Amino acid sequence: MAVKKTNTKTNLRSLEAKGFYSDVEKDGCLYAALVRSPAPAGKIKSITAPDLPEGYFLYTSRDIPGTKTITANKTVTKVFGYGNVSYSGEPVGILFGPDEETVYKLLDTVNINFDVENLESALHNVINNQTDEASNFKEFVDQINEMPSLDTVIDKSHVEENPNVIVATREIKYGLYESLPLAQADTKLFENADYTSTDTWKEKLLTPKWQETEGAFAYTEGEKIHVFAPSRWASFTQKSVAAALNIDEASVFIHKTKSAGIYPSGLARTTQLAVQIAAAAWLSKKPVKLILSQTEQESFMVPGVVTEITYRSALNKDGRLKALKISIDIDIGCSNPFAQEITDRIAIAAASYYKPENLYINAKAHTSKNPPTSISMQIIESQAFFAIENEIQKISNLSMIFPDELRLLNAEPPVPAPEEKPKKTKKTTDKKTKAAPVSTEFPFDIPTGDVRSVIQTALSESDFNRKYASFHMDAIDRAEKDSKPFFALPLRGIGVATAYIPSGYSGQTSFSNDAKIEVTLSADEKLVIHTIKPSDVIQDIWKNSAAEILQIPKQNIQINSEFPYNELPEAPEDSYSSISIVNELVKKCCNDIQKKRFHQPLPITAKRGGTAATAKPKWNKEKFCGTPFYTTSFITTVVEVELDTYTYNEKIKGIWVTVDCGELFDEAAARRTIRLEIQQELTMLVKGKTVPCDAININFIQSNNRSGQVGGLIHNSLPAAFSSALSLALTTQLTEIPCTEDLLFQLIRDRTKEKTETRKSENQGASE
């Protein structure tokens, strides 16, 4: 019996995060650095480091005993690069030893030889071959002369023909775009519109320098290996390590550590790092730790994809959006296992909760020579919200319609003209053009809660409309009078943005969206909830729900996150991310136990799984329409900024936030979460500094709707509100974030130059 218990214990894996991987220590630990390709293209011939001191190791793909690749969602990633290089900086080996400083010095001595070298890699190797003893001018010249000719270097046959391959698309048509060719629909909608706007928007995430960079730590214990990494996909990491080392999964112990990132997004990339370190520890039989440098983190571990979203908008004078035509370009780098998922989610968010009369969305994700990207569940849609909210603010300025009126008007479904009202069927046909059937229902139904109350509360608390009218008139006056940018008074602006954060996406294709939970009530009336352990706040919510149903003390309830190694959850931890989904499952399990506890002996176990309370799905995957999310939380954020005209330093005078996150289990905890995210976001709005803020005001709308997430709401709304406020202050459009002081200066200079040229032209015309 004792042996059996030990084996069972050994086979359990805990998914509770404890500490940071960088804090884990072991005697005799070696420090690692990744050897990266100096060239963006070419075929690797060999990787050598002939003069490594004793106790230092270099391993490459050739040394891996098992599978040399990692496969996630049919996307293959090399553990260490071999053959054709995918991008500049691709890890092609790992170098490690007892002194970290020496390791980084030895990196420069590693020779990476290519079958057909490009100029960069050739020069790299020539320079690295120079030593203090052997370096002389004649030898250097001889090596330069042996380099391939320029004609060979730039020969296109040596470079991949087309690194930009489209890997995911999503096209959405509604209204005239369904029945007419694209060009004809554009002509009909935009030529006679009262207001039109076209602009391209970019939002890029910055990695805060204070957070722990990605990395891993590993050591062997006989035939077992222990790997410490901030993994949110333990089952995938366990399988990948076992396959690379050619050992049984039972011998792999993945220790989940805390993630220091604001928006964790490693997944497959974190697994790649874990496998690289595991291979080093396994082959050397030494403890090995890798901590990426800040430069590596910023260059190779960006939280999400890079997007450019172009809007062409048509607005009627009554404030209705006549048309939104949206083009979305998504750069996923050399690979991304979740490209289709990301493309679909950004496409849905591109229209936000607005319902224009006609809609066309064309989203494309393509590869490039940039580093691979990943997915961050909390902020997949953030770039789309940044774009649509800035576009709405821009057309509000053009039409002179207050931002709240414009938003609320277009949150309602379009009303067909009397002659176009459909019959009882969901499809109608345009008899005049004999065109294809046109849908009468808007493709997306986003459950956003009480939009009107959220928007109006935020605007009322911030005195938005009065300030907006005042700042707007001042901006127009400055632009018309061509006021010089250098004067004593600071520039003022105010902006508003709305957004939602979804929970339980019904259209997931990359992995299962089902949350699973197991609850057991023992004979001594102690309750164990078996699932991945969430934050302390959510744990408290679950315990309160269970204690109320079963009428047991809250201290009798514990959450167990240990799983047998072969029963680890297959999906990433935050793939369904919703307080309400799992809380409902906890309630159902407790109700099941309550019904049985007085009719059968304890212990009693109840199991539940699923994502929605309703059995009938409301999302049509084939037609890509319906209700895509189980629930959402909705936010309105107002930001008032002040810009010093001498130093170009930004200051936020106030931030006003109003949230409807459904049933609010713990308002104090939600308030702390939002306040913390605001402080974190202030470090990412302007490159190289933190924007100071005088005051933060947070309000919640009480609601009985399904409870939703709070985390991520600030990132989905605050950047757009900040850029809108700054645009008003500058009297010119800010189209990307993070911004820089140089960019602000350039925008004002361009506006002043444009105004001067216009005035000269007018004066010249008058004189003629």
Side-chain angles (χ1 to χ4, degrees):
M1 288 295 290
V3 174
K4 188 174 182 181
K5 283 184 181 179
T6 304
N7 287 340
T8 304
K9 178 90 175 162
T10 302
N11 286 333
L12 290 177
R13 305 289 188 268
S14 174
L15 294 186
E16 181 180 354
K18 293 180 180 178
F20 296 99
Y21 80 87
S22 55
D23 294 331
V24 184
E25 297 292 341
K26 201 81 174 172
D27 290 340
C29 180
L30 304 183
Y31 299 93
L34 294 173
V35 179
R36 297 184 180 275
S37 169
K43 188 173 183 180
I44 296 176
K45 185 178 180 181
S46 64
I47 303 169
T48 57
D51 300 319
L52 284 181
E54 185 178 350
Y56 289 82
F57 304 85
L58 171 66
Y59 293 129
T60 67
S61 180
R62 293 180 179 181
D63 300 298
I64 295 176
T67 306
K68 302 181 189 299
T69 58
I70 300 168
T71 303
N73 200 28
K74 300 180 182 178
T75 298
V76 178
T77 304
K78 301 167 186 173
V79 176
F80 292 118
Y82 59 87
N84 288 316
V85 172
S86 300
Y87 61 96
S88 179
E90 180 180 8
V92 295
I94 188 167
L95 179 66
F96 57 101
D99 183 71
E100 193 170 6
E101 187 176 342
T102 303
V103 167
Y104 278 97
K105 287 180 180 177
L106 289 171
L107 274 180
D108 292 333
T109 69
V110 177
N111 295 320
I112 304 173
N113 297 306
F114 292 81
D115 274 348
V116 178
E117 294 182 309
N118 65 30
L119 187 60
E120 184 181 357
S121 63
L123 280 171
H124 177 85
N125 287 329
V126 169
I127 293 169
N128 283 351
N129 284 335
Q130 300 304 305
T131 62
D132 291 337
E133 296 79 16
S135 61
N136 60 70
F137 185 72
K138 184 178 182 301
E139 183 179 349
F140 183 76
V141 170
D142 289 342
Q143 291 182 9
I144 289 289
N145 289 333
E146 290 173 4
M147 286 173 53
S149 68
L150 187 60
D151 290 338
T152 304
V153 171
I154 63 175
D155 183 357
K156 292 181 181 178
S157 65
H158 297 312
V159 184
E160 293 171 48
E161 290 182 6
N162 182 17
N164 297 327
V165 178
I166 295 175
V167 293
T169 61
R170 178 61 62 188
E171 188 178 48
I172 298 160
K173 297 178 180 180
Y174 170 70
L176 286 180
Y177 286 111
E178 281 186 285
S179 60
L180 296 176
L182 193 59
Q184 288 184 30
D186 284 348
T187 301
K188 192 168 183 179
L189 294 170
F190 288 94
E191 280 192 354
N192 299 317
D194 295 303
Y195 306 99
T196 61
S197 165
T198 303
D199 231 323
T200 299
W201 310 92
K202 304 174 190 176
E203 182 199 38
K204 183 180 179 182
L205 277 173
L206 288 177
T207 305
K209 296 188 184 300
W210 44 261
Q211 74 177 39
E212 180 190 58
T213 58
E214 287 269 3
F217 171 77
Y219 69 91
T220 58
E221 188 179 53
E223 295 304 309
K224 301 171 187 173
I225 186 161
H226 295 261
V227 183
F228 296 77
S231 173
R232 302 176 74 84
W233 202 0
S235 63
F236 177 67
T237 304
Q238 178 181 279
K239 285 182 172 66
S240 300
V241 169
L245 303 185
N246 197 23
I247 60 176
D248 192 87
E249 280 188 51
S251 301
V252 179
F253 291 78
I254 303 299
H255 301 271
K256 176 187 164 189
T257 60
K258 291 180 180 178
S259 175
I262 300 175
Y263 306 113
S265 62
L267 294 186
R269 293 182 308 184
T270 300
T271 293
Q272 183 189 25
L273 286 170
V275 173
Q276 290 166 345
I277 291 302
W282 184 259
L283 293 168
S284 65
K285 299 301 178 184
K286 302 277 188 182
V288 182
K289 182 184 289 186
L290 169 70
I291 301 176
L292 292 186
S293 68
Q294 191 65 45
T295 302
E296 288 177 300
Q297 182 76 20
E298 292 173 2
S299 301
F300 306 114
M301 302 297 289
V302 291
V305 294
V306 179
T307 65
E308 283 192 11
I309 306 180
T310 301
Y311 280 78
R312 190 179 180 194
S313 309
L315 188 76
N316 291 333
K317 60 185 177 183
D318 61 0
R320 279 293 316 181
L321 277 169
K322 188 175 182 180
L324 276 182
K325 185 183 181 186
I326 308 168
S327 176
I328 305 171
D329 178 89
I330 304 170
D331 183 347
I332 66 163
C334 69
S335 67
N336 189 315
F338 316 104
Q340 188 62 55
E341 199 94 354
I342 292 168
T343 305
D344 289 346
R345 292 278 290 267
I346 292 177
I348 293 171
S352 191
Y353 59 95
Y354 303 114
K355 295 179 174 63
E357 294 175 4
N358 300 276
L359 176 68
Y360 178 76
I361 301 174
N362 184 19
K364 292 181 180 179
H366 61 84
T367 58
S368 70
K369 274 299 188 179
N370 292 322
T373 56
S374 188
I375 189 172
S376 186
M377 299 296 181
Q378 275 190 318
I379 54 168
I380 297 175
E381 297 88 357
S382 65
Q383 292 163 311
F385 289 128
F386 176 77
I388 181 66
E389 287 303 299
N390 273 291
E391 181 69 18
I392 291 292
Q393 191 70 30
K394 183 183 174 185
I395 57 180
S396 170
N397 294 338
L398 285 172
S399 63
M400 302 295 285
I401 299 173
F402 274 102
D404 58 329
E405 294 177 15
L406 190 64
R407 284 173 167 84
L408 291 172
L409 186 61
N410 288 285
E412 300 299 324
V415 179
E419 65 273 14
E420 295 175 346
K421 280 188 177 177
K423 297 178 182 178
K424 291 184 179 180
T425 59
K426 288 188 177 180
K427 297 280 185 178
T428 59
T429 305
D430 189 333
K431 294 181 180 179
K432 293 180 181 178
T433 59
K434 295 183 180 179
V438 178
S439 300
T440 59
E441 291 184 1
F442 197 76
F444 306 129
D445 181 19
I446 309 295
T448 50
D450 193 347
V451 171
R452 180 172 294 274
S453 293
V454 174
I455 292 176
Q456 290 180 341
T457 300
L459 268 60
S460 174
E461 290 287 330
S462 61
D463 194 15
F464 179 88
N465 284 340
R466 183 188 65 81
K467 292 177 181 177
Y468 176 76
S470 175
F471 296 160
H472 193 59
M473 286 189 292
D474 178 60
I476 293 172
D477 186 55
R478 278 189 283 115
E480 287 181 349
K481 291 181 180 179
D482 193 24
S483 300
K484 301 299 179 185
F486 299 100
F487 57 90
L489 295 175
L491 305 179
R492 308 271 303 265
I494 192 166
V496 59
T498 58
Y500 60 79
I501 196 87
S503 296
Y505 175 48
S506 301
Q508 278 190 335
T509 55
S510 301
F511 24 70
S512 168
N513 193 32
D514 288 344
K516 293 180 181 178
I517 199 166
E518 181 180 301
V519 180
T520 301
L521 182 66
S522 61
D524 55 357
E525 293 207 328
K526 291 192 175 176
L527 191 77
V528 176
I529 301 172
H530 187 240
T531 187
I532 297 173
K533 190 171 284 189
S535 67
D536 291 341
V537 173
I538 299 176
Q539 287 182 52
D540 203 51
I541 291 169
W542 293 356
K543 289 177 181 179
N544 285 335
S545 298
E548 185 179 346
I549 293 170
L550 296 173
Q551 294 296 301
I552 60 175
K554 189 174 164 183
Q555 56 266 30
N556 282 14
I557 303 170
Q558 69 175 47
I559 297 170
N560 180 2
S561 61
E562 290 189 340
F563 294 81
Y565 79 92
N566 55 352
E567 294 180 16
L568 291 173
E570 292 291 326
E573 290 178 23
D574 48 5
S575 58
Y576 48 80
S577 89
S578 172
I579 296 173
S580 57
I581 291 173
V582 182
N583 194 55
E584 282 187 25
L585 296 180
V586 170
K587 288 179 178 179
K588 287 181 180 180
C589 287
C590 290
N591 282 323
D592 289 346
I593 291 172
Q594 182 69 5
K595 291 174 185 176
K596 298 175 183 176
R597 67 188 295 193
F598 301 112
H599 303 285
Q600 66 183 65
L602 298 173
I604 300 173
T605 297
K607 298 180 181 180
R608 286 281 184 157
T611 57
T614 53
K616 187 178 179 181
K618 296 180 180 179
W619 177 251
N620 189 321
K621 285 188 178 182
E622 287 71 31
K623 295 181 180 179
F624 203 73
C625 64
T627 304
F629 307 118
Y630 174 63
T631 188
T632 66
S633 296
F634 187 74
I635 187 170
T636 297
T637 299
V638 174
V639 174
E640 182 183 346
V641 300
E642 187 175 273
L643 181 66
D644 189 298
T645 52
Y646 292 113
T647 63
Y648 282 84
N649 281 327
E650 310 84 350
K651 180 181 180 182
I652 295 179
K653 300 289 289 180
I655 295 175
W656 294 265
V657 169
T658 302
V659 176
D660 179 357
C661 55
E663 185 182 358
L664 195 57
F665 295 112
D666 190 336
E667 183 175 328
R671 192 178 297 276
R672 287 195 302 271
T673 299
I674 289 175
R675 189 172 288 274
L676 176 61
E677 285 202 4
I678 288 174
Q679 296 299 335
Q680 292 171 335
E681 199 69 33
L682 294 177
T683 68
M684 298 189 286
L685 296 172
V686 180
K687 196 169 184 179
K689 66 179 181 180
T690 298
V691 181
C693 176
D694 286 348
I696 297 173
N697 180 286
I698 301 169
N699 287 289
F700 291 93
I701 300 295
Q702 294 299 325
S703 170
N704 293 322
N705 297 331
R706 293 168 179 163
S707 58
Q709 300 296 110
V710 174
L713 277 172
I714 291 300
H715 183 70
N716 281 2
S717 59
L718 195 146
F722 174 76
S723 62
S724 292
L726 212 48
S727 296
L728 182 57
L730 293 166
T731 65
T732 189
Q733 193 66 53
L734 183 69
T735 60
E736 60 184 81
I737 221 164
C739 59
T740 63
E741 290 172 6
D742 289 343
L743 174 62
L744 298 181
F745 179 80
Q746 184 69 37
L747 286 171
I748 286 191
R749 191 173 68 174
D750 290 348
R751 178 189 64 77
T752 306
K753 183 180 178 182
E754 182 183 344
K755 185 68 181 176
T756 302
E757 289 174 353
T758 303
R759 182 164 293 182
K760 282 181 181 178
S761 177
E762 289 173 352
N763 292 338
Q764 187 177 3
S767 63
E768 291 175 354

